[in-house]
Each structure stands twice: as C-alpha cells, then as structure tokens.
Amino acid sequence: MHPSQLQISDYTYELPDERIARYPLTERDLSKLLIYKEGAIESDVYRHLPQHLPATALLVFNNTKVIDARILFQKDTGSKIEIFCLEPAAGVELTQAMMSLEKVRWTCLVGGAGKWKQQFLEKELHTPKGNVLFRAEKINQQGGNFEIEFSWNNSWFTFAELLHFAGILPLPPYLQRQSEAADYDRYQTVYARYEGSVAAPTAGLHFTPKLLLKLQEKGIKHSFVTLHVGAGTFQPVKAATMQDHPMHREWIEVNAATIKELLEQLPKLVITVGTTSLRTIESLYWMGVKALLNSNATLEELEVQQWDAYDLPLQNASAKDALQALLGWLQQQNLEQIICHTQILIAPGYTVRIASAIITNFHQPNSTLLLLVAALIGDDWRKVYDYALKNDFRFLSYGDGSLLWTSESPSSLACNS
C-alpha cells in the first residue's frame, strides 16, 4: 500500500493525561529507556545507554537550538496579542533571517489577530546594550498564517539577539503550562548550537556531558546535523488518510564533512538521536538519489518532497552511491554544506536507507512521529507503547524514551550498488 492511503485511525492509542510528563526529571540521564530489538523489550535508564550500543556505532545528534519564538505585545487597552514565529518568509534562508539587522519578515501565527487594528504593534526593550523600539507590522495573510515584518531602531542588534529580550520560550501546547525559568535550560539539549527551532529535538534532552563522555570512552563516535524543528511537529493528522495531510517542511543544514562521516561509517551501525536526525540523514539519501538522476539539478530540485521516498525512480540505489552522488554534487557546486528544506514523510511502507536504530521519546497518537516509529518497527509499535503505558513510562517531550532497532537492517543497501 502506498503511504498516501494509510488511515491515521490505525495509528492511535489511549494516552491518559496523567502519563504526560509536564516537567523533566531532576537528572536528565535518569529518564527511563525502553530497549526494543527483534520483538524483545527490556527497560533501563539513559545513564546506562553505552551498555546497549556496540563500540563501532555512530550516533547522529541534531544540534539545533530552540528560539524564544513567542512574542507578546500589549495594547494600550491592556489586551495582549501573541505572535508565534514559525519560519522566515519565503525566499529568506533561516540563518540569514536570524542574523538580519533592522528588519526581517517571518511567517507567523497570531493569537488575538482580530484585536490588531493599528498598523504597528510596539514594545520597548531594555537591554544591557541599550533600549530598542521593537515593532511588528502585518504584511499579508494566507490561510491561518500571517507574514509579519519585524523592525527595530538599533542596528547593533541581530534579530536573534532581540528574540532573547522580546520573546518567550515556546513549550509544546500539550504541556498546558507557561514556560518557567528552569525550562530555558532543560528544554535545550546540552549540545544545542544553532538557533532556529520552535521545539526541542526532545530525544536529546536525556543526554548529559558525562553520558556523552562515557559513550566516547567506549569508542562510540558521534556526528551532528541540524534540523530546525517547526511547529508542524505538534500538529495531529486530522485527515482520514495521509493523502490529504500536508507534511510540514523544515530547514536542514548538513556539512559535507558530516556526509563523508556517514559514508565512511557504512555498513556499520548508524543510530539517530531523535526523529529529526533520522529525517535529516534519510533526506540526504533521497537528495543523493536525485543527484544520481540529474547531476545538474538545482538545490531547490534536490529538496525532498512529501512523497519522493515512494515515487522517485532508483528506489534500490545503495546508500553508498546516493551519498557519493550528493558529495559530488556539492563539489560541482563549490559548496561545503547543504542548506535547504525537507518535507520527507517516513511512514509504514518506507524502507530505512541509512539508520539502523533510533533513540526517541514516546509520541502523540495520530501523529506523523508515530507513523515514523511504525515505519521502523512495524506493528510492534503497539507492543512497545502498551509496554510503556503498563510500566509507568512518562510520555511526550519531557518524558522517557526508547532505543528502537529497525525491523530490517539497511546494511545491505549500504553495501550493494
């Protein structure tokens, strides 16, 4: 069956409200860890993760950093309008938008849009570098999203800097609470580096510097990719079948050196920390397939669309050939990194090309993230989630997690041309 025909009602379960972790544990690496392999399940804690991984493995982390994407403006009447920054307006690359001076346009959600009658919303920001008048102006509206132009009267500040003073950390809506001081530390991974996400890559929240050192001491290598998580990651699938659900697109940034590391690792194990890391490296495979099909493709043509993984020719291209083709394309373009969108949908019917396992939290019912888990371990996703519910695992962003080994190894695809 083509994944477009999947019925989302087949990928749901009952999640009691009390099982949603609204706060993290005091110690990150004491979160529980469910280990699934070849149908068997056991449990441990993240602190002991090195015991469950071979020394030859490569861990792939997403080093994105959550931005303070919620901006509150208060009108003279006292009413508040909230602007939630989703992504830069069309044609603006994310890093460029974050480094903008004086003005920048973003696609946003607006809470209380009906109360926004005047041309500008304004607020004065008091910072150690001086005061700044920060403005927001509606440019246009498309569907439920607005294009907002932000401007400020001090060219010493980048937009990224101003967000620290103007914005609020955006916690997931299902936590049903406002962000608190502790969240500014705990809702970031310890290796977060590049700002751009409106949600954390939560599988990485369990890692500590000490745990990373233990993994390194065992000989387990690590590599970093960047996928800036969008708000679409929280949107449940409301369509009856997947053909009517538009998969959200997100920015990825991957260096040529990282693609070489993945290539050199094959056919040994590649383990992704989080669904975002998995989507990123699997997107690299399909970009490589497109480069095999057309070595003169533009970067926009290489971007992975929702159904590419199921509809492109060369479905059996090896991971080795695809990654080599992508590196060749980068060299031809005199580029050292890939910066583009991906809209990849990983759902039952997908064959994993590079990853052998994933470390991930427990996801919402009726979500594309749950479809991804089902793609990796088949119908056993129900067995895994039933076990977690019956054994007091904590769910969602601040909850516990799992190490899931894929039902079929991609090693054969890695080796065979």
Side-chain angles (χ1 to χ4, degrees):
M1 180 192 298
H2 193 282
S4 63
Q5 302 305 308
L6 290 173
Q7 296 186 5
I8 195 61
S9 59
D10 292 333
Y11 298 90
T12 190
Y13 66 96
E14 190 68 31
L15 176 58
D17 185 69
E18 64 271 16
R19 304 309 296 276
I20 299 173
R22 291 192 161 78
Y23 290 88
L25 295 183
T26 303
E27 297 186 57
R28 292 175 184 257
D29 59 0
L30 285 183
S31 293
K32 295 171 72 172
L33 177 68
L34 180 152
I35 300 102
Y36 167 89
K37 189 171 187 179
E38 297 177 349
I41 297 175
E42 60 179 306
S43 62
D44 205 333
V45 294
Y46 272 83
R47 187 167 291 180
H48 300 150
L49 177 62
Q51 300 173 18
H52 300 282
L53 301 179
T56 55
L58 171 70
L59 284 174
V60 180
F61 295 91
N62 180 10
N63 59 8
T64 188
K65 191 171 186 178
V66 184
I67 61 174
D68 299 332
R70 294 176 56 225
I71 306 173
L72 295 178
F73 288 89
Q74 185 165 331
K75 298 175 61 179
D76 294 338
T77 60
S79 62
K80 293 182 179 179
I81 296 175
E82 178 180 320
I83 300 177
F84 188 176
C85 299
L86 298 177
E87 64 174 0
V92 183
E93 187 266 313
L94 192 144
T95 302
Q96 175 188 346
M98 295 299 289
M99 298 306 295
S100 293
L101 301 172
E102 297 185 339
K103 64 180 180 180
V104 66
R105 291 188 180 186
W106 278 68
T107 299
C108 304
L109 297 174
V110 178
K115 297 180 289 185
W116 188 348
K117 305 298 184 183
Q118 66 271 50
Q119 181 180 4
F120 296 105
L121 296 175
E122 297 181 342
K123 65 191 305 181
E124 188 170 8
L125 307 177
H126 304 283
T127 82
K129 291 168 63 175
N131 295 343
V132 184
L133 182 64
F134 187 60
R135 283 182 162 185
E137 179 183 7
K138 281 188 293 186
I139 303 301
N140 58 55
Q141 180 179 0
Q142 186 172 5
N145 294 340
F146 293 81
E147 183 176 338
I148 305 296
E149 182 171 278
F150 297 103
S151 59
W152 52 102
N153 65 348
N154 191 326
S155 60
W156 288 98
F157 290 89
T158 65
F159 184 66
E161 290 175 307
L162 284 180
L163 278 181
H164 290 301
F165 300 106
I168 301 170
L169 190 75
L171 289 183
Y174 48 67
L175 293 188
Q176 298 180 346
R177 68 176 178 85
Q178 297 296 314
S179 57
E180 301 174 11
D183 293 310
Y184 284 83
D185 172 57
R186 294 305 304 276
Y187 197 60
Q188 301 279 12
T189 63
V190 297
Y191 47 80
R193 184 174 181 185
Y194 298 109
E195 293 183 313
S197 283
V198 300
T202 54
L205 297 180
H206 306 288
F207 287 80
T208 64
K210 187 174 181 180
L211 176 55
L212 292 171
L213 181 60
K214 283 184 177 180
L215 290 163
Q216 184 179 345
E217 288 173 344
K218 185 171 180 178
I220 296 168
K221 296 180 290 186
H222 67 269
S223 189
F224 292 101
V225 296
T226 305
L227 180 144
H228 295 300
V229 189
T233 192
F234 298 127
Q235 293 178 356
V237 178
K238 296 180 180 178
T241 59
M242 290 306 297
Q243 65 183 348
D244 295 321
H245 176 79
M247 182 64 179
H248 58 284
R249 66 175 196 168
E250 294 164 307
W251 282 100
I252 60 172
E253 300 182 22
V254 185
N255 294 327
T258 300
I259 300 173
K260 290 177 183 176
E261 286 179 332
L262 289 170
L263 186 57
E264 291 169 358
Q265 178 67 10
L266 300 175
K268 292 178 286 188
L269 299 178
V270 176
I271 300 168
T272 55
V273 179
T275 58
T276 58
S277 297
L278 182 87
R279 293 205 302 274
T280 302
I281 67 170
E282 294 293 310
S283 293
L284 295 177
Y285 170 85
W286 292 107
M287 294 179 75
V289 168
K290 288 189 172 188
L292 282 169
L293 291 167
N294 178 12
S295 61
N296 295 315
T298 65
L299 180 57
E300 186 176 1
E301 289 171 335
L302 289 189
E303 289 188 340
V304 182
Q305 308 302 319
Q306 180 163 341
W307 304 115
D308 280 351
Y310 313 97
D311 297 342
L312 280 176
L314 287 183
Q315 287 283 315
N316 292 322
S318 72
K320 178 180 178 181
D321 286 348
L323 293 180
Q324 284 179 335
L326 186 56
L327 283 172
W329 182 90
L330 281 166
Q331 186 176 17
Q332 178 181 313
Q333 301 292 323
N334 292 317
L335 295 174
E336 285 299 319
Q337 61 180 342
I338 291 280
I339 302 177
C340 66
H341 286 106
T342 182
Q343 200 182 5
I344 190 171
L345 172 65
I346 296 177
Y350 184 85
T351 300
V352 180
R353 281 1 197 247
I354 297 176
S356 300
I358 186 173
I359 296 169
T360 187
N361 284 24
F362 295 99
H363 305 295
Q364 295 182 86
N366 303 324
S367 66
T368 57
L369 302 182
L370 189 57
L371 288 176
L372 183 150
V373 170
L376 267 60
I377 64 173
D379 290 339
D380 272 3
W381 76 265
R382 290 190 177 277
K383 178 178 175 181
V384 166
Y385 275 64
D386 285 345
Y387 181 97
L389 287 167
K390 291 175 182 176
N391 288 274
D392 298 323
F393 279 72
R394 303 161 75 244
F395 277 60
L396 307 185
S397 295
Y398 273 146
D400 300 313
S402 58
L403 167 61
L404 308 175
W405 294 92
T406 59
S407 55
E408 52 184 279
S409 171
S411 59
S412 59
L413 283 170
C415 299
N416 299 328
S417 300

